[in-house]
Amino acid sequence: MFEPPWGQTMKLILKTALTAASFGVCVLASTAQAQNLVTNGSFTGGLTGWTPAAATTNVATGTCSFNGAAQPGTETASGSAGFTTANAELALGSVILTSAGSRSCVLYQDIAIPVGATTLTLSGDFGTRAGGAGVVSTSDRAMWVGVYPTTSVPNYQQAPLSGTNRIIVSGANNTALTPAAIASFSVAPYAGTTIRLAIINAMQSPGSGGLAPVANGYSVAGASNVQAVVAVSPPAPVPTLSEWAMILLGMTLAGAAAWQISRKQVVRTA
């Protein structure tokens, strides 16, 4: 069927106008952005940004220690050799028991969860092993990495804010740090607040903590490349004047073209 030239022209104008309006809207669209919230997760130059401490509760007597080092390094309190890693530097720590029970030695950093954060993923390179003349069983030591309230220094038995979602490095006898990560979990309830990222090196005495500790035995742990990456949904963008002009121009042209097409159709059928 023959279409008059003005019909083709009006349709071209309408298509162009709709494209302009759509472009203006697309400019305003935004996607979730990833942010790593950890300061000095590779422990460059030491433990800057981190705080070493013993857990606030459920701590048997003993010692805790953490230090930064160029890999593989030496854990200063025990004199134990560190771990090889793909990273230039790492954090090393040890826990020693002098009474029955368990002791959690914690290296922590408080991180601010930005407004609009939806999920968080923890990852890093970790390792642990027994040290000293008295060998501590693999079932009596491990590392835990998770997020907690800022009201206390957590022990390994405390549930993290993410429920059961945390990194657990079993009491192996590693010589090198290996990558570990957990699936993303929701941090939407904590958006706009501060939470505590904690690396916990823990050990218990034999018999699930009921017997005397192993003499001259301790647990050594290492960490590097620690990251806490959040996905943040940015706030709805405010259009600039040029973007508003593009949208309004497109809508105006579209309206005019549609009106002209309908007017011509009325004339033809009259």
Side-chain angles (χ1 to χ4, degrees):
M1 180 178 178
F2 173 73
E3 183 177 8
W6 58 260
Q8 297 176 4
T9 302
M10 287 299 103
K11 287 184 177 180
L12 179 60
I13 293 174
L14 179 59
K15 182 177 180 181
T16 303
L18 291 174
T19 300
S22 299
F23 175 78
V25 172
C26 289
V27 167
L28 299 179
S30 55
T31 57
Q33 301 172 345
Q35 297 180 25
N36 178 23
L37 305 181
V38 177
T39 299
N40 193 26
S42 294
F43 303 99
T44 303
L47 303 183
T48 302
W50 296 86
T51 301
T56 307
T57 59
N58 194 26
V59 180
T61 59
T63 62
C64 288
S65 177
F66 285 99
N67 65 277
Q71 70 92 20
T74 300
E75 199 287 310
T76 54
S78 63
S80 177
F83 302 84
T84 58
T85 173
N87 307 295
E89 299 183 58
L90 74 167
L92 295 169
S94 67
V95 53
I96 300 173
L97 285 175
T98 55
S99 67
S102 64
R103 186 171 182 85
S104 296
C105 298
V106 185
L107 188 63
Y108 71 85
Q109 179 177 139
D110 291 345
I111 55 177
I113 306 299
V115 173
T118 55
T119 59
L120 185 147
T121 302
L122 292 177
S123 63
D125 301 336
F126 305 100
T128 181
R129 69 166 176 269
V135 179
V136 179
S137 170
T138 57
S139 61
D140 288 331
R141 53 187 174 79
M143 285 180 71
W144 286 261
V145 184
V147 291
Y148 301 84
T150 58
T151 51
S152 65
V153 180
N155 64 65
Y156 78 96
Q157 295 169 316
Q158 182 175 337
L161 294 175
S162 53
T164 58
N165 215 345
R166 57 180 172 176
I167 297 172
I168 301 177
V169 184
S170 61
N173 282 303
N174 305 124
T175 57
L177 302 185
T178 55
I182 59 175
S184 300
F185 56 90
S186 174
V187 288
Y190 311 108
T193 69
T194 300
I195 61 178
R196 180 157 290 172
L197 169 63
I199 302 169
I200 304 172
N201 181 24
M203 186 174 74
Q204 66 180 11
S205 59
S208 299
L211 302 177
V214 175
N216 300 315
Y218 50 88
S219 176
V220 178
S224 191
N225 193 31
V226 180
Q227 298 187 37
V229 178
V230 292
V232 180
S233 297
V238 178
T240 64
L241 290 177
S242 60
E243 290 165 349
W244 272 123
M246 181 71 73
I247 295 171
L248 293 175
L249 175 62
M251 293 175 65
T252 302
L253 289 175
W259 176 81
Q260 190 65 259
I261 290 173
S262 64
R263 180 173 176 272
K264 292 292 185 180
Q265 289 174 340
V266 170
V267 172
R268 286 185 63 200
T269 58

